[in-house]
């Protein structure tokens, strides 16, 4: 299968820049896939997993904290607040973050704190899930 | 020059130790500057790209006559949010003073301004003037992290969504090189003004498909963009701070050097005067004995 370029960026670094056959993205309204020749698209993403690699074979995963994706020409650019390759995830840290978030959720504070803790928990669970697959 | 030799010696010793401190601080600032400088250059492209994407979406929305949701629609009101970025520590020459002076001018020109403060210097300054602000962030440390940028950005974005202000500007030092870092007012929102000056150059711009909707895409990009603007400014401010500190400490070291030289001269003059006097006395005494 023919390939296109995928670039995943955070403000601090380029997480990955590589040629891929397929990218699976966590769109706001559900997952969708991108192949070479996709029409120009700008998509809002939610917290979730970005998969990339070959169409049928092996794929790698990135934990994405929302953000957006832009396909233009033969290049897909994904920009996010945080993005971590599965093999980079620190399982212990994620575990601790999960516990912390759970603890905060069990204490009852005002709404904003609650929403933040919920996001933190979702992020931690996502990171653990991805790291587990490695 | 009635100072005694011992007194001058003591002053020389004290200035020398001050000089050692300022020299050490200069070297520390120089090292940290190098790291900060790298960060400045490696983070600039990301911010630029986000800005380009955001203005592409906004101009597409405008051209398409899109009815944007209240919270993401560009606002034109007079209420400002001003993010003022200073350092936590002093000893950086006029670095903080210049920023605070600009902030005062801004506040005078735009009375409907709410401030968000970064750095202990700005906080203490405005607090002592009974100036209120929306939020403060102090003790950010020597290398700004993405996380700090996101925390501050998040707070500003939350306020923005709640309609506390219409415009967001950042007042901080822009890093050009270690001696040049002018205070810059960076307009974060609204973006569109520049867009209008540049008329229909398009036709080249591809027609994007917005998934799930242009509103959702804007809602995804806006917070990223604000975070990036904050982080970018933090990084540039930090590099500028080290530049300013390095320069300030270098001139302090130089001044100490000059002072030491002068004192040395005075010391040796005094010492010679004493010797001359003693010789004169001895000669005088010998003459007296001979006579």
């Amino acid at each position: 299968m023919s390939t296109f370029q995928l670039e995943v960026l955070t403000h601090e670094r380029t997480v990955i820049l590589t040629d891929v056959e397929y990218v699976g993205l966590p769109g706001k309204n559900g997952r969708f896939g991108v192949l070479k020749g996709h029409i120009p698209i700008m998509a809002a993403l939610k917290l979730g997993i970005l998969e990339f690699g070959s169409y049928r074979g092996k794929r790698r995963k990135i934990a994405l904290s929302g953000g957006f994706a832009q396909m233009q020409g033969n290049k897909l650019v994904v920009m996010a607040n945080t993005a971590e390759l599965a093999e980079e995830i620190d399982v212990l840290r994620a575990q601790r973050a999960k516990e912390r978030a759970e603890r905060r959720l069990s204490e009852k504070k005002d709404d904003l704190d609650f929403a933040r803790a919920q996001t933190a928990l979702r992020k931690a669970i996502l990171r653990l899930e991805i790291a587990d697959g490695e | 020059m009635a100072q005694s030799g011992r007194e001058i010696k003591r002053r020389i010793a004290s200035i020398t130790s001050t000089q050692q401190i300022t020299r050490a601080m200069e070297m520390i600032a120089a090292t940290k500057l190098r790291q900060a400088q790298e960060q400045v250059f490696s983070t600039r492209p990301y911010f630029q790209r986000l800005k380009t994407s955001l203005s592409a979406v906004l101009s597409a929305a405008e051209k398409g006559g899109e009815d944007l949701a209240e919270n993401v629609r560009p606002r034109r009101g007079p209420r400002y949010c001003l993010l003022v970025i200073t350092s936590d520590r002093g000893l950086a020459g006029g670095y903080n003073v210049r920023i605070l002076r600009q902030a005062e001018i801004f506040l005078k020109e735009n009375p409907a301004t709410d401030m968000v403060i970064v750095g202990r210097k700005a906080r203490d300054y405005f607090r002592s003037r009974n100036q209120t602000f929306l939020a403060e962030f102090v003790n950010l440390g020597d290398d700004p992290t993405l996380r700090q940028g996101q925390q501050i950005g998040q707070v500003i974005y939350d306020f923005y969504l709640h309609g506390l202000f219409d415009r967001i500007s950042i007042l901080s030092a822009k890093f050009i090189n270690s001696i040049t870092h002018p205070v810059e007012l960076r307009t974060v929102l609204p973006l569109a003004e520049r867009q209008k000056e540049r008329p229909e150059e398009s036709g080249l711009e591809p027609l994007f498909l917005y998934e799930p909707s242009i509103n959702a895409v804007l809602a995804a990009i806006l917070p990223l963009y604000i975070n990036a603007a904050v982080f970018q400014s933090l990084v540039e401010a930090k590099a500028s701070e080290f530049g300013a500190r390095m320069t300030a400490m270098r001139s302090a070291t130089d001044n100490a050097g000059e002072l030491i030289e002068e004192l040395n001269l005075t010391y040796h003059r005094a010492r010679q005067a004493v010797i001359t006097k003693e010789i004169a006395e001895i000669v005088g005494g010998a003459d007296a004995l001979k006579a």
Side-chain angles (χ1 to χ4, degrees):
Chain A
M1 271 195 69
S2 45
T3 61
F4 61 100
Q5 209 176 33
L6 168 73
E7 187 173 20
V8 180
L9 299 167
T10 72
H11 204 161
E12 269 176 332
R13 65 196 181 112
T14 302
V15 179
I16 201 151
L17 174 63
T18 180
D19 285 332
V20 292
E21 289 176 354
Y22 169 86
V23 177
L25 292 162
K28 265 266 138 71
N29 283 2
R31 296 191 64 81
F32 65 96
V34 174
L35 295 172
K36 183 186 165 71
H38 198 290
I39 64 162
I41 183 174
M42 286 222 206
L45 306 177
K46 62 182 179 190
L47 180 80
I49 300 171
L50 180 154
E51 275 185 299
F52 65 97
S54 72
Y55 184 57
R56 289 189 198 287
K58 224 173 134 37
R59 290 179 196 167
R60 295 168 74 192
K61 288 176 179 175
I62 288 178
L64 212 61
S65 68
F68 88 106
Q70 181 176 357
M71 177 78 172
Q72 194 174 357
N74 213 14
K75 189 167 186 178
L76 176 69
V77 180
V78 176
M79 292 172 128
N81 273 334
T82 59
E84 282 173 292
L85 281 163
E87 57 266 31
E88 290 170 354
I89 291 173
D90 183 342
V91 180
L92 265 159
R93 224 188 96 211
Q95 191 71 47
R96 274 203 300 275
K98 180 171 172 249
E99 283 158 15
R100 204 165 46 236
E102 280 168 344
R103 201 166 50 241
R104 266 205 311 217
L105 283 174
S106 60
E107 301 164 3
K108 289 196 176 57
K109 285 190 180 163
D110 64 63
D111 310 44
L112 202 70
D113 256 353
F114 189 77
R116 289 247 167 93
Q118 246 177 349
T119 318
L121 181 60
R122 259 191 250 122
K123 271 185 199 166
I125 291 173
L126 174 76
R127 302 221 316 275
L128 285 174
E129 193 187 307
I130 291 183
D132 215 30
E134 274 303 296
Chain B
M1 288 298 128
Q3 277 171 308
S4 77
R6 195 188 295 167
E7 208 172 303
I8 298 173
K9 252 200 149 157
R10 202 179 300 138
R11 280 200 64 197
I12 291 176
S14 124
I15 293 170
T16 309
S17 70
T18 308
Q19 191 190 30
Q20 275 166 351
I21 293 168
T22 55
R23 186 175 291 137
M25 287 184 73
E26 181 198 332
M27 286 191 303
I28 292 167
T31 318
K32 288 190 171 162
L33 171 67
R34 214 166 305 131
Q35 294 166 1
Q37 208 168 343
E38 259 164 46
Q39 208 182 10
V40 168
F41 295 126
S42 67
T43 50
R44 267 182 195 162
Y46 174 91
F47 174 68
Q48 220 43 54
R49 279 164 93 163
L50 258 182
K51 197 170 176 175
T52 314
S53 295
L54 179 57
S55 61
V57 180
L58 282 175
S59 72
E62 204 178 325
K63 257 176 248 159
E66 202 79 32
D67 192 21
L68 291 179
E70 181 65 37
N71 52 0
V72 295
R73 193 187 299 156
R75 302 176 193 172
R76 293 271 175 268
R79 296 169 305 161
Y80 271 94
C81 171
L82 183 68
L83 176 66
V84 180
I85 302 178
T86 62
S87 67
D88 281 322
R89 267 174 290 166
L91 293 178
Y95 174 76
N96 289 308
V97 181
R98 283 190 298 141
I99 294 169
L100 293 173
R101 201 175 296 145
Q102 289 293 317
E104 286 285 5
I105 294 171
F106 187 92
L107 290 178
K108 219 164 271 163
E109 283 170 2
N110 306 284
T113 300
D114 279 318
M115 279 192 295
V116 175
I117 298 290
V118 173
R120 220 182 294 150
K121 288 288 162 185
R123 185 195 62 183
D124 295 349
Y125 178 84
F126 287 115
R127 213 186 245 171
S128 69
R129 274 159 188 72
N130 288 325
Q131 180 85 45
T132 55
F133 34 84
L134 284 177
E136 61 175 59
F137 299 87
V138 294
N139 293 335
L140 294 193
D142 274 348
D143 51 338
T145 62
L146 200 49
R147 214 183 173 134
Q148 289 166 342
Q150 285 165 5
Q151 271 168 356
I152 299 170
Q154 184 73 49
V155 167
I156 294 178
Y157 187 58
D158 280 348
F159 286 141
Y160 183 76
L161 286 185
H162 282 90
L164 255 65
F165 36 75
D166 314 302
R167 292 156 188 270
I168 303 173
S169 289
I170 301 178
L171 188 67
S172 64
K174 180 183 173 66
F175 184 81
I176 293 172
N177 57 44
S178 60
I179 23 181
T180 320
H181 27 78
V183 181
E184 190 193 49
L185 186 68
R186 191 196 286 258
T187 307
V188 181
L189 287 176
L191 256 194
E193 272 145 18
R194 187 185 294 170
Q195 217 61 35
K196 278 187 185 145
E197 291 165 18
R198 197 174 8 152
E200 310 300 301
E201 57 172 25
S202 51
L204 292 167
E205 266 176 44
L207 268 174
F208 279 104
L209 175 71
Y210 293 95
E211 175 62 37
S213 66
I214 203 160
N215 274 320
V217 171
L218 269 179
I221 299 183
L222 260 184
L224 276 184
Y225 169 70
I226 292 172
N227 287 350
V230 172
F231 180 61
Q232 191 62 47
S233 301
L234 285 180
V235 167
E236 304 226 359
K238 198 43 98 175
S240 306
E241 180 193 333
F242 287 132
R245 180 162 301 133
M246 192 179 82
T247 319
M249 288 302 114
R250 179 175 301 155
S251 61
T253 309
D254 290 350
N255 286 344
E258 277 171 34
L259 221 73
I260 290 170
E261 241 168 70
E262 257 172 53
L263 283 172
N264 255 330
L265 209 65
T266 325
Y267 170 72
H268 287 296
R269 278 207 191 112
R271 191 176 56 90
Q272 266 172 350
V274 171
I275 292 167
T276 313
K277 209 176 99 197
E278 274 172 11
I279 291 173
E281 274 165 12
I282 292 167
V283 173
D287 281 352
L289 277 181
K290 244 186 264 169

